Amino acid sequence: GTLKARIPKTEGDAATVREGCALVREALGAMMLHDVSPATLATGLVAVAVAAAAWTWTRSASPQRTEDDISTNATAQQTAGAPLGILPASRIEEAAELAAAAFVDSPAYVYIDGGGASDEDRAPRQRFLAWLFARNFWLRLGTTCNRAVISNDGRLACFFMLVPPDVADVSFGAMLRAGLLRGPLVWGFARVRRLLEVKDYHDALESKVRAAYDGPLCHLERMCVRPDLQGQGVGSTALKAALDETDALGYGVFLATQAPRNVTFYEKLGFRVVRQDDAELPGTAPFVDYSMLRAPPSVSTKVTN
């Protein structure tokens, strides 16, 4: 009853959506610890905040593969001339598959999935990530967040999300339309619980970085390049074009990664590590969370370690 009374009455009521998320998380916690009646379970499922929290958690490591070598081929040369654009709706599932393959071994997602490193564990985890990422990308449809390079052969070459500071919170209705309510039913409450846990952890880290930075910040995430084009300048060229845009607007850019090799890639594009936090999740080896900032030319980043 409390949940129903506080569900947003308008799609634009973002504050109420966030409040609803908190309420539902409490309800889910109780449901996981105690036996519940069918009516209570139904109320919990009405709690789109579980789904809402799923779309908002986008703070995991950057993909394990970025720019490694300097080999070139004809496809890469053609792609290098392709402009950075907005991902069309017709390519969302393709982008989600590409990102899922890139992130499947990230420690945070290994923990969220509850699996291991074997091929048998990776396949279902990759399906889960493709579903989750597609919902996330659909929620940003109609904005400039979903950025992509389509090569001359018509294939998706590179994708990333760059969320500007002036993009509005996603509405309650949009979350429903994206199909996030099905998440707990299809993938289970345990995954959702772990997702919320990791989301809280990364949100706290990002909040510390934002508090120490004086200025508007974009959020960069889901950076991935088609495997056969990696190491050929496709990703760096595309990201450089987007960073030129943020520089012109005076925006800084924040990202988080758990892969040291990615740190090197981003440093070449002007990012600096401003936090290093040791972390360990059940079922994963210890790792380091790297929080990175790139300030526009007139602003210097501040180290907050």
Side-chain angles (χ1 to χ4, degrees):
T2 302
L3 291 170
K4 288 181 63 178
R6 298 175 74 173
I7 289 295
K9 298 300 187 297
T10 66
E11 291 194 358
D13 194 351
T16 311
V17 170
R18 288 191 292 270
E19 187 178 6
C21 288
L23 286 169
V24 175
R25 292 173 61 175
E26 294 176 12
L28 282 174
M31 291 165 65
M32 291 170 189
L33 293 173
H34 307 288
D35 291 333
V36 296
S37 68
T40 304
L41 180 60
T43 301
L45 293 178
V46 171
V48 224
V50 174
W55 82 261
T56 53
W57 190 75
T58 51
R59 312 303 194 237
S60 73
S62 294
Q64 303 301 308
R65 299 179 180 179
T66 52
E67 310 280 314
D68 293 288
D69 54 56
I70 55 173
S71 62
T72 59
N73 57 35
T75 302
Q77 291 171 356
Q78 292 176 345
T79 303
L84 177 68
I86 306 300
L87 183 77
S90 61
R91 311 301 288 264
I92 283 181
E93 299 299 331
E94 184 182 359
E97 292 285 350
L98 180 63
F103 283 85
V104 68
D105 293 320
S106 295
Y109 284 122
V110 172
Y111 169 69
I112 289 169
D113 181 63
S118 70
D119 289 341
E120 291 183 357
D121 293 317
R122 294 176 84 253
R125 179 164 64 248
Q126 189 165 328
R127 289 194 295 272
F128 165 66
L129 292 180
W131 178 87
L132 179 64
F133 293 164
R135 307 285 80 72
N136 192 202
F137 303 162
W138 276 110
L139 285 168
R140 292 305 186 184
L141 196 63
T143 72
T144 63
C145 298
N146 296 333
R147 311 304 296 272
V149 173
I150 309 297
S151 62
N152 292 343
D153 63 2
R155 297 171 65 191
L156 181 64
C158 173
F159 172 81
F160 56 87
M161 290 185 72
L162 185 64
V163 184
D166 56 351
V167 168
D169 287 337
V170 176
S171 70
F172 184 83
M175 295 174 200
L176 285 174
R177 289 192 294 272
L180 280 167
L181 181 60
R182 294 165 39 215
L185 293 173
V186 176
W187 302 105
F189 281 96
R191 276 193 181 94
V192 172
R193 176 181 56 79
R194 291 189 293 267
L195 182 74
L196 296 173
E197 179 184 337
V198 176
K199 174 188 180 299
D200 282 346
Y201 168 75
H202 282 96
D203 279 353
L205 291 183
E206 183 174 350
S207 294
K208 292 176 181 178
V209 173
R210 288 181 176 272
Y213 181 80
D214 184 17
L217 278 176
C218 301
H219 189 106
L220 175 65
E221 51 195 296
R222 304 290 175 261
M223 178 73 195
C224 49
V225 176
R226 204 171 80 201
D228 61 313
L229 296 177
Q230 291 172 6
Q232 298 165 21
V234 174
S236 56
T237 299
L239 186 52
K240 176 63 168 57
L243 295 174
D244 286 344
E245 297 175 13
T246 61
D247 283 349
L249 294 169
Y251 293 160
V253 182
F254 168 85
L255 67 87
T257 181
Q258 299 160 359
R261 63 185 294 179
N262 291 345
V263 171
T264 301
F265 168 69
Y266 290 117
E267 284 180 336
K268 293 177 181 178
L269 290 165
F271 287 86
R272 295 291 178 266
V273 173
V274 293
R275 285 189 66 92
Q276 295 185 45
D277 294 274
D278 294 329
E280 184 173 1
L281 295 168
T284 70
F287 59 93
V288 176
D289 265 308
Y290 299 94
S291 297
M292 303 189 72
L293 274 179
R294 183 186 186 277
S298 59
V299 180
S300 61
T301 55
K302 177 181 178 181
V303 177
T304 59
N305 281 354

